[in-house]
Every structure is written in structure tokens, then in C-alpha cells.
Amino acid sequence: IGVGLVGFGLFFLLFGILLYFDSVLLAFGNLLFLSGLVFIIGLRRTFTFFFQRPKLKGTSFFFGGLVVVLMRWPILGMLLEAYGFISLFR
């Protein structure tokens, strides 16, 4: 279930970007991706991954970008999410 959710999340993210940053598709893709991540590695490990002390800056940018996308500013939100994603996984 988790791999399917992550796959659909990535599909919706890509499709939302291809359709000129459609905010509904991007928000749906983000939510599917995060829920799939929780199904794959578990709730506790997901929480500890995102809220480690050295990763708080990346986490705040990632979730801040998610909130901005949900508020229907998709380009700014995706830029914030991309910076947060890079900060989390470097």
C-alpha cells in the first residue's frame, strides 16, 4: 500500500507540474507521498526522521511549502518544498 501511495503521489506531483503548477494536483500528490512514506517506514520513524535537531530547518521549509501549496500559491510552495527536500536529504 505504501509503495502505491508514494508512486501515485509522485505521479500527481509530476502531473501537477506539467499542467502549469495546478495547486490541487500538487497538494494531492504531496499528501499521498507523505502518507505513503508513513505506510512504508512507520509513523514513529517518519516523525523522528523529520524532527531531528539538525533537520528542523529542512523540515520547516518542506512543511511550510506544503502549507503554501494548500493555500493555492503553488510556485512559491514548490520552491519552498524543493529547498526543504534538498536540506533534508543532503
Side-chain angles (χ1 to χ4, degrees):
I1 292 174
V3 174
L5 286 173
V6 168
F8 277 120
L10 291 175
F11 171 75
F12 279 113
L13 283 172
L14 179 67
F15 202 56
I17 290 172
L18 288 176
L19 290 176
Y20 300 112
F21 292 98
D22 183 32
S23 60
V24 174
L25 289 174
L26 291 174
F28 195 60
N30 282 324
L31 294 176
L32 283 175
F33 179 77
L34 288 176
S35 62
L37 188 66
V38 168
F39 270 102
I40 290 174
I41 65 173
L43 185 61
R44 181 177 303 218
R45 292 177 102 186
T46 304
F47 187 79
T48 56
F49 171 76
F50 278 111
F51 294 104
Q52 292 175 7
R53 191 134 180 79
K55 295 183 179 185
L56 282 178
K57 180 179 159 187
T59 300
S60 62
F61 272 100
F62 185 76
F63 285 118
L66 178 66
V67 169
V68 170
V69 167
L70 289 173
M71 292 180 0
R72 297 193 159 281
W73 290 8
I75 296 174
L76 178 64
M78 288 305 290
L79 288 173
L80 290 173
E81 280 187 40
Y83 179 73
F85 189 80
I86 291 169
S87 296
L88 280 172
F89 292 106
R90 64 181 160 130

